[in-house]
Amino acid sequence: MYEGVVQNLIDELGLLPGVGPKSAQRIAFHLLSADPADVKRLAHALLEVKEKVRFCRVCGNVAAEEECRICRDQRRDPHVICVVEESKDVVAIEKTREFRGRYHVLGGAISPIDGVGPDDLRVRELMARLADGEVTELILATDPNLEGEATATYLARLVKPMGLKVTRLASGLPVGGDLEYADEVTLGRAFEGRRLLDV
Amino acid sequence: MSLYRDEGVVLRTHKLGEADRIITILTRRTGKVRAVAKGVRKTKSRFGARLEPFTHVDVQFHTGRSLDMVTQCETIRPYGEPLVSDYPRYTAGTAMLETADRLTLGEKEPALRQFLLLVGGLRTLVDGSHEPRLVLDAFFLRSLAVAGYAPALSECARCGAEAVRAFAIVAGGVVCGNCRPSGAAVPAAETIALMIALLRGDWEAADASEARNRVECSGLVAAYLQWHLEHGIRSLKHVERGVAPSEFR
């Protein structure tokens, strides 16, 4: 084992996801040999992220202020809300440049087997946002796996009495794949959601 | 045995690393297997949706040192697809998977009857002919019976007398007035009759039962199950009763 402080650093780094004992040791020695200014910048960034970043009070996305950048942007369509599981999904959708509405981050998906029910997600906040009637369409963009589908079903059932348009992201064949490798569920969905080729 | 093939139902999945998952699967011949599915979370994974919970699959494993690896997989029947579109059925289904997982303690110990019971339970749940909570309670009671914990329902669990008064979880079922421990529940006679019907698979009688007896039955069965498992079933508190019983008469 190393001297106290070095071992401490290795132990702390080893707690990060995907970092094993060997990687932790490598990073620790890299930091030891790095320029003090670089290390200070890293330490500052770590502290700053914990101090400044919080969750947007409107949508639940990570934000540097009370409200996130998207919720503050007046040019975004306030009539459409896209519901996602995590902040990472907001970034993924933003990269497509297809969507100009607003988001709502649930903070996970309903998974009874893991003890996660609707009350553990930001469902109540979503209902409060829908209550004023400004929103006309709700896009359910939860993951296309079992938990995500169940969450979408639950939300669709919950907002049905409000009479707004509820849509679900399409699922089907991935672009660039082979049809023969598609599984039955995915291929079935692709058939279900086939569209008219208007040429 | 480096490669082996079996069919099974996916009970649950855990994320592993960047794009992999650990799949817990209850197989017909091998029993419960935990195996790694490489790259299953990538959109272009060749496994696709085949290794989602509830899916009945034909799968080939490669024996590993600690965990096996899924090498090939074909769907036999995707039970998850019809279940997710119906929330009460979905929650009942997750409670089934969790119970099957809890009841098969050892890995690779054949549990054929539990497997057949699970497949049968999921099939009944999907075909929608009975109320989901009834199907779930029937599954619980029969799983307990398979595991050797069947509750005594027609005669006293302690002395075998026929005049039963109460239901005592600690005693292992219904008890007579003399054997009754303190704190034993006193359910309606119809509730006990419903439990017997569910255990025997007498759906005609079960479907004709009253709502209050169903609620009482669910409460007793859940408490009995969790007492014997020495563990709570987390999905249970999220199970919805769903459609009113009258619609299933």
Side-chain angles (χ1 to χ4, degrees), chain B residues 143-181:
Chain B
S143 294
L144 282 163
V146 166
Y149 298 125
L153 293 172
S154 44
E155 49 199 36
C156 174
R158 288 204 170 143
C159 68
E162 283 199 6
V164 292
R165 290 284 295 276
F167 187 89
I169 291 165
V170 200
V174 292
V175 281
C176 65
N178 295 332
C179 301
R180 182 184 165 183

Side-chain angles (χ1 to χ4, degrees), chain A residues 19-37:
Chain A
V19 181
K22 278 279 177 209
S23 313
Q25 188 176 307
R26 205 169 63 239
I27 299 169
F29 278 95
H30 169 79
L31 291 173
L32 276 180
S33 60
D35 194 53

Side-chain angles (χ1 to χ4, degrees), chain A residues 110-118 120 145-147 149-150 153-154 157 174-177 181-186 189 192, chain B residues 11-12 21 43-44 46-50 52-54 74-75 78 80-81 84-88 90 94 98 234-235 238 240:
Chain A
I110 296 175
S111 176
I113 210 160
D114 298 310
V116 181
D120 303 305
N145 54 25
L146 203 81
E147 287 88 15
E149 294 292 345
T153 308
Y154 179 84
R157 196 185 62 167
V175 179
Y181 284 111
D183 66 278
E184 295 75 3
V185 174
T186 309
R189 291 270 191 93
E192 210 178 290
Chain B
L11 298 180
R12 62 185 304 175
R21 273 203 185 113
T43 44
K44 283 186 198 167
R46 64 204 153 92
F47 297 128
R50 293 185 184 107
E52 287 285 297
F54 294 113
E74 282 290 319
T75 312
E81 188 67 2
V84 283
S85 52
D86 184 335
Y87 193 70
Y90 166 74
T94 53
E98 193 180 345
R234 285 199 280 191
S235 316
H238 300 293
E240 287 197 0

Side-chain angles (χ1 to χ4, degrees), chain A residues 127-197:
Chain A
M127 298 312 283
R129 280 180 82 180
L130 299 177
D132 64 4
E134 196 185 12
V135 178
T136 51
E137 182 180 355
L138 192 68
I139 303 174
L140 300 173
T142 48
D143 287 346
N145 54 25
L146 203 81
E147 287 88 15
E149 294 292 345
T151 312
T153 308
Y154 179 84
L155 290 177
R157 196 185 62 167
L158 202 63
V159 300
K160 201 177 176 190
M162 294 179 161
L164 48 99
K165 185 174 162 193
V166 181
T167 53
R168 173 93 178 106
L169 285 196
S171 54
L173 301 172
V175 179
D178 272 16
L179 195 78
E180 62 165 318
Y181 284 111
D183 66 278
E184 295 75 3
V185 174
T186 309
L187 198 52
R189 291 270 191 93
F191 261 95
E192 210 178 290
R194 70 187 186 278
R195 62 194 166 84
L196 201 63
L197 260 190

Side-chain angles (χ1 to χ4, degrees), chain B residues 102 149 223-233:
Chain B
R102 289 264 171 232
Y149 298 125
Y224 188 81
L225 172 78
Q226 297 184 79
W227 193 82
H228 280 286
L229 283 178
E230 296 179 12
H231 208 289
I233 296 289

